[in-house]
Amino acid sequence: MTIILGLESSCDETAAALVTADGRILAHRLATQEEAHRPYGGVVPEIAARAHVEALAPLIEAALNDADMTLADVDVIAATAGPGLIGGVMVGLVTGKALAHAAGKPLVAVNHLEGHALSPRLADRDLQFPYMLLLVSGGHCQILHVKGPGDYARLATTIDDAAGEAFDKTAKLLGLGYPGGPAVEKAAALGNPKAVPLPRPLVGTAEPHFSFAGLKSAVMRAVQSGQYSMEDIAASFQQAVIDCLIDRTRRALEQGSGMSALVVAGGVAANKAIRGALEALAADHGLPFVAPPLWLCTDNAAMIAWAGAERYAAGLVHDLSFPARPRWPLDPDAEKARGAGVKA
Ligand code: KG4
Ligand code: ZN
């Protein structure tokens, strides 16, 4: 059985995992840098890159130990090559190249977004291509038609902030600190989602794109007004995000046909209220709903190893000159969304 070693270092988690080609997770190790970045209220790229240098090699050793293996037992090395914070990406990719070279194994340079996009197939081995994917993370908010490894059509993207970014900025405004998503979700559970009138940007428009910048500004005004409790603002904000995600995803489902399932992935998919709303939307359309377990939604190396497994099986390997890419769209042919800023 082919065994894939996956490495992840594109943001603020350092991770190593061993996965088999039939989707068994033999080991997965992760070190979060939350404490190092907390004083700054967000990820500091230089601190992240240095922390990856310290953490990655010991995590690889620990994962191999957990699986009772050595590098000689590994068949394929898969490392995130982008998109992400370039210093961190370089640490993981160069480590992957060095291991591939030293052990004489093939290298798969993995797009981090493809790691998220294919992770539901690691969680549910019955999930078939093509599926409709809502990919919601700290850096991205996209709806993708997933046709196979390396084969994506992007139906929608955000014209400004990503959904996770909106959660993180709202958390900062509410004094909830970093990382913001889980803290906002916790506060939202104690508040009234109807208390604060907030906008639903782009809801009802023909193309299923997203926008969250106006929502963040409205949250700022609500905080400054002094009229509302922190919990009510958190709950109203989360409800506004849910309404946007559901309206936009419904729009995409109306446009695409022949999908096997509605699937959600990325860090924001860890939010239980968002998962619940998407599950109901899938049921409305007579589609199965697939969401990976929470630990597989946020950044990890098992999803990178798995994307490596899928690409390796499809013959999509790379040579040792593959570049580290700060930007790397899954669908290079996608048209720019109208009104989009530099992030599209
Ligand atoms: O996928 P991920 O771990 O890293 C990126 O590739 O961006 O996603 C991290 C994002 C952060 O913005 C974080 O606030 C958000 O996912 N997040 C959540 C929750 N857990 C993580 N957002 C809302 N609710 C959550 N429970
Ligand atoms: Zn991610």
Side-chain angles (χ1 to χ4, degrees):
M1 176 57 62
T2 306
I3 295 168
I4 302 94
L5 170 65
L7 308 179
E8 163 59 30
S9 59
S10 66
C11 191
D12 60 344
E13 323 279 358
T14 320
L18 289 158
V19 170
T20 63
D22 63 354
R24 272 178 302 132
I25 299 168
L26 304 177
H28 69 94
R29 286 276 186 156
L30 183 143
T32 177
Q33 303 173 4
E34 264 169 41
E35 290 310 318
H37 299 292
R38 197 185 305 278
Y40 307 95
V43 180
V44 183
E46 168 91 17
I47 292 174
R50 290 173 183 225
H52 290 305
V53 170
E54 290 172 30
L56 186 56
L59 287 172
I60 295 169
E61 255 179 33
L64 287 168
N65 277 339
D66 290 348
D68 211 7
M69 284 179 179
T70 68
L71 194 55
D73 298 311
V74 172
D75 299 295
V76 180
I77 311 286
T80 299
L85 301 173
I86 197 65
V89 170
M90 286 165 76
V91 173
L93 180 59
V94 171
T95 302
K97 287 183 178 188
L99 293 177
H101 176 69
K105 314 283 180 182
L107 173 80
V108 180
V110 174
N111 183 318
H112 179 85
L113 299 175
E114 182 159 49
H116 282 301
L118 298 177
S119 65
R121 279 170 49 86
L122 175 58
D124 179 351
R125 298 292 299 115
D126 293 330
L127 176 61
Q128 301 293 324
F129 299 120
Y131 51 86
M132 187 72 83
L133 171 73
L134 174 63
L135 176 52
V136 271
S137 72
H140 296 87
C141 189
Q142 303 187 345
I143 301 176
L144 294 155
H145 178 180
V146 180
K147 295 179 268 188
D151 193 3
Y152 302 87
R154 195 200 72 190
L155 306 180
T157 187
T158 178
I159 64 169
D160 41 57
D161 293 349
E165 199 174 357
F167 269 93
D168 294 334
K169 287 177 176 174
T170 292
K172 216 167 178 175
L173 288 168
L174 294 176
L176 293 172
Y178 161 89
V184 171
E185 179 175 19
K186 216 165 140 197
L190 305 171
N192 172 4
K194 295 194 176 129
V196 189
L198 293 173
R200 270 71 174 153
L202 295 188
V203 160
T205 55
E207 287 185 281
H209 294 307
F210 300 93
S211 167
F212 294 105
L215 181 54
K216 178 200 65 192
S217 309
V219 166
M220 184 154 67
R221 285 191 295 275
V223 172
Q224 286 166 349
S225 77
Q227 268 182 281
Y228 307 103
S229 74
M230 183 270 283
E231 289 80 5
D232 281 352
I233 298 176
S236 301
F237 162 79
Q238 182 172 281
Q239 190 57 52
V241 173
I242 290 173
D243 291 350
C244 293
L245 294 178
I246 294 302
D247 176 81
R248 312 289 57 211
T249 308
R250 178 182 290 119
R251 189 87 208 150
L253 285 171
E254 284 163 6
Q255 288 175 3
S257 60
M259 299 294 147
S260 73
L262 174 61
V263 176
V264 67
V268 180
N271 185 293
K272 290 188 202 67
I274 291 174
R275 290 164 90 99
L278 286 167
E279 187 163 16
L281 176 67
D284 274 356
H285 284 78
L287 287 174
F289 175 65
V290 178
L294 301 192
W295 75 268
L296 207 48
C297 287
T298 47
D299 287 350
N300 64 86
M303 71 180 190
I304 302 304
W306 176 248
E310 295 239 42
R311 290 191 73 94
Y312 182 70
L316 301 168
V317 296
H318 302 100
D319 68 37
L320 295 181
S321 68
F322 196 90
R325 302 184 61 177
R327 291 187 185 281
W328 186 2
L330 275 181
D331 175 6
D333 301 327
E335 277 179 37
K336 219 173 160 191
R338 214 173 311 138
V342 287
K343 287 180 183 168

